[in-house]
Amino acid sequence: MEQKNHYVNWFRASSPYIHAHRNKTFVVAFGGEAVLADDFQDHVHDFALLNSLGIRLVLVHGIRPQIDQRLKDGLPPRFHKHLRITDGPALQCVKEAAGLVRVEIEALLSLGLANSPMAGAKIKVASGNFVTAKPLGVIDGIDYCHTGEVRRIDSEAIHQQLDQDNVVLISPIGYSPSGEIFNLSAEQVATAVAIALKAEKLIFLTEQNCVSPDSGEQLQQLTSSEVSGLLERHPDLPETISQPLRAARHACQSGIARVHLINRFQNGALLLELFTRDGIGTLISSSPFEELRPATLNDIGGILELIKPLEQQGILAKRSREKIEMEIGDYLIIERDGLVIGCIALHAHLQRHFGVLACLAVHPEYQRSARANRLLDYACRKAKQLHLKTLFVLSTQTAHWFIERGFTASDVDSLPEPLKALYNPQRNSKVLCKDLE
C-alpha cells in the first residue's frame, strides 16, 4: 500500500510539469554511444512518453562511434582540435552510419507491442533535409574536406511536421545548395535547431555527470556566465562534457531559456529531470534558476500555498487572499523555476520610521540551505534603504531564531501605537525588535 501511495504522490507532484510542458518544443540530443548502448530502448520509451504527453519533440543523434567502426577496416580516424577531418572515404562512412542509425531509431519508435511501454503509441517519425550546411574550410593549414558547419535550419518545415504531431529525427548531416554533403557536429546541429525553432528546452543526454572539478560534486545549476568561468578555469575538461557546456552557453546566449545536461546512464533520467522539482541533471540558463525578488500579483497563489500549512499549525497568523493582494508590494519571495519556495513581508511605516517583519516562510524541502537567512537579510537591507530605524517581529514559535540573528526580546508596551493596536492577545506572540541605526 505504501508503494502505491508513493506512486500516487509522485504522479500528482508531476502534474504541474505535465501541464507546463504540453505543446512546448523540446530538442533532445544524444551521441552515437547512446544508440549503441543496451539500454537505448529505454530512452526511446521515454521519448514516446514525452510525445504522448503533448510535447513537440525533435531528436538529434550523433554518429561518431559508428563512423569510427566503419573506418577501422580502412584508414584510421583523423581529427584536428577534436573535429573529424572528413575526406572522401570518411564521407562514405558518414553516410552509411547516418543512414543506419536513423533507420534503427525509426524502427524503435515504430514499436507497438502489447504489454510494452510502446503499446498504442503509433508514433510518426519525420526526417528530411532540414539542415543547410557549408564547408568548414581550411583552419591552421588543415583542410577539413567534407566537415562542415550549419548554415541554415529550415524551421518552417520542422514546425510543419511538429504541427502534425510527428517526432522529428535529425542526423548530423547537412546539404549545400550545390548538392554537397557535409558531416556536422551533433551538438552544433541540436543547438542551431533549438535556436531556429525558439524551443523551450534544449536537452543533452551526456556521457557523464557535469561535476565541479574543485569539489567533485555534481553541478545542479549554472548560468551561462558561470559556464564561461568554468571553461576558462578548467580548459582540460573532457570533451564529453565541455562540448555540451559550450553548446548550452551558446544556446542560452541566443534566447533558449533552459538547457539541461543529463547523464544518459541514469535510468529514466529524462523523466526525472523534466517531471520532478529539482531534477537530476545540470540546468543551464541565462538568468539564475532561483531568484530572490519583490513579489507581484501573479505570486499570490504561490504565497498562499506556501503559508497555508504554517497557518494551520498556528505558526503564522491567517491572511486572506484579499489582504495579501492589498499588501503585495510589501512581500519578497524566492522563486525556483516558477515555484514560490520562500517569502517574507516588510510592512514599513515610513512616517514613524519603523517596520514589521511578517510571514517568513520557506518550503519544507528547501529549509536547510540558508534561504530564510537570505530573505531576512534582503528585508533588512530594504528597511535600511527606506531609512527605517527599528524592525519589529511578532512570533509565537520562532523567537529564538530571530534572537540568534540580532533581535532582542521586548514587550507589548514597547510597540509603536499603530502596531500595539493590532496586537492579538489570544495569540500571545513574543515581541522582538532590532535597531537598524
Side-chain angles (χ1 to χ4, degrees):
M1 190 65 182
E2 183 178 347
Q3 185 177 4
K4 290 183 178 179
N5 288 336
H6 176 74
Y7 172 77
V8 169
N9 291 334
W10 178 85
F11 208 172
R12 287 172 177 164
S14 67
S15 60
Y17 301 97
I18 295 174
H19 299 317
H21 297 335
R22 185 176 294 118
N23 296 323
K24 299 299 191 298
T25 301
F26 292 1
V27 177
V28 182
F30 48 91
E33 296 83 358
V35 180
L36 292 172
D38 294 336
D39 64 350
F40 182 63
Q41 186 166 298
D42 293 334
H43 290 300
V44 173
H45 295 164
D46 294 344
F47 298 153
L49 180 56
L50 296 184
N51 177 254
S52 70
L53 292 173
I55 294 172
R56 295 157 58 90
L57 198 60
V58 179
L59 305 177
V60 180
H61 69 82
I63 52 174
R64 176 174 285 197
Q66 288 83 355
I67 298 172
D68 290 342
Q69 286 178 353
R70 282 157 179 76
L71 285 171
K72 283 181 179 178
D73 297 331
L75 297 174
R78 296 169 58 206
F79 291 90
H80 180 65
K81 291 186 176 180
H82 304 287
L83 283 175
R84 186 185 299 277
I85 300 170
T86 312
D87 54 16
L91 179 62
Q92 183 60 33
C93 296
V94 168
K95 292 189 286 185
E96 292 175 3
L100 178 62
V101 171
R102 178 176 60 79
V103 170
E104 287 181 349
I105 296 174
E106 288 180 350
L108 288 172
L109 286 168
S110 301
L111 287 172
L113 295 175
N115 301 319
S116 78
M118 298 292 290
K122 297 182 180 178
I123 294 174
K124 295 177 290 182
V125 184
S127 300
N129 56 339
F130 301 121
V131 182
T132 301
K134 60 182 180 181
L136 197 58
V138 178
I139 300 176
D140 297 332
I142 303 297
D143 186 353
Y144 280 89
C145 302
H146 296 281
T147 298
E149 59 184 352
V150 175
R151 179 177 177 182
R152 187 177 65 85
I153 301 295
D154 192 346
S155 57
E156 182 179 350
I158 297 175
H159 275 303
Q160 288 176 354
Q161 296 297 330
L162 295 173
D163 290 341
Q164 298 176 43
D165 297 326
N166 294 340
V167 171
V168 175
L169 178 61
I170 299 179
S171 301
I173 299 290
Y175 308 92
S176 72
S178 61
E180 292 180 274
I181 300 173
F182 293 101
N183 177 30
L184 308 176
S185 158
E187 289 88 358
Q188 185 193 64
V189 172
T191 304
V193 169
I195 294 169
L197 296 178
K198 296 180 172 60
E200 279 72 24
K201 290 184 184 294
L202 170 60
I203 302 167
F204 291 101
L205 297 180
T206 61
E207 296 301 303
Q208 64 183 84
N209 288 324
C210 182
V211 301
S212 167
D214 301 316
S215 67
E217 296 180 355
Q218 181 176 340
L219 296 167
Q220 293 187 326
Q221 56 196 47
L222 293 166
T223 62
S224 53
S225 59
E226 288 172 337
V227 170
S228 295
L230 179 65
L231 292 171
E232 289 174 6
R233 293 193 308 273
H234 302 282
D236 56 345
L237 282 175
E239 283 294 309
T240 51
I241 203 66
S242 63
Q243 282 188 347
L245 281 172
R246 292 189 187 95
R249 177 182 59 185
H250 176 54
C252 289
Q253 292 171 344
S254 302
I256 304 301
R258 296 282 190 268
V259 181
H260 301 257
L261 273 57
I262 312 171
N263 188 333
R264 70 171 179 87
F265 293 97
Q266 168 69 50
N267 184 33
L270 202 53
L271 305 182
L272 290 168
E273 178 71 6
L274 294 176
F275 298 102
T276 61
R277 182 174 294 133
D278 293 319
I280 61 161
T282 300
L283 173 66
I284 299 168
S285 58
S286 54
S287 58
F289 177 58
E290 184 175 302
E291 181 182 14
L292 198 164
R293 60 172 176 79
T296 69
L297 291 174
N298 292 332
D299 300 313
I300 292 175
I303 294 172
L304 287 168
E305 188 72 19
L306 180 66
I307 66 177
K308 183 179 178 181
L310 299 177
E311 291 177 346
Q312 292 172 342
Q313 298 171 41
I315 297 175
L316 294 179
K318 291 187 177 181
R319 294 165 174 80
S320 66
R321 175 180 285 271
E322 291 75 17
K323 180 175 177 60
I324 294 178
E325 183 174 342
M326 290 174 58
E327 299 175 342
I328 193 64
D330 295 346
Y331 281 79
L332 306 167
I333 68 162
I334 297 178
E335 179 191 19
R336 183 179 176 86
D337 197 24
L339 176 73
V340 177
I341 65 167
C343 70
I344 192 172
L346 170 61
H347 304 304
H349 294 255
L350 299 179
Q351 293 181 343
R352 294 190 173 230
H353 302 290
F354 77 88
V356 182
L357 294 178
C359 202
L360 175 58
V362 176
H363 193 285
E365 295 182 14
Y366 299 95
Q367 289 180 352
R368 298 187 181 275
S369 300
R371 290 180 174 87
N373 287 332
R374 288 180 59 202
L375 286 165
L376 178 61
D377 291 344
Y378 195 165
C380 289
R381 289 199 302 271
K382 182 178 179 182
K384 290 180 180 179
Q385 291 171 359
L386 295 173
H387 304 292
L388 304 183
K389 297 179 179 179
T390 310
L391 282 179
F392 290 94
V393 174
L394 302 179
S395 174
T396 58
Q397 299 181 37
T398 58
H400 274 270
W401 187 88
F402 285 100
I403 290 173
E404 291 168 3
R405 285 152 183 82
F407 285 77
T408 57
S410 187
D411 54 41
V412 178
D413 292 335
S414 68
L415 294 174
E417 287 301 324
L419 187 54
K420 188 184 297 184
L422 297 174
Y423 184 83
N424 183 356
Q426 292 182 338
R427 281 183 58 80
N428 194 27
S429 300
K430 302 286 185 180
V431 177
L432 305 141
C433 67
K434 181 177 183 178
D435 292 330
L436 298 178
E437 293 183 325

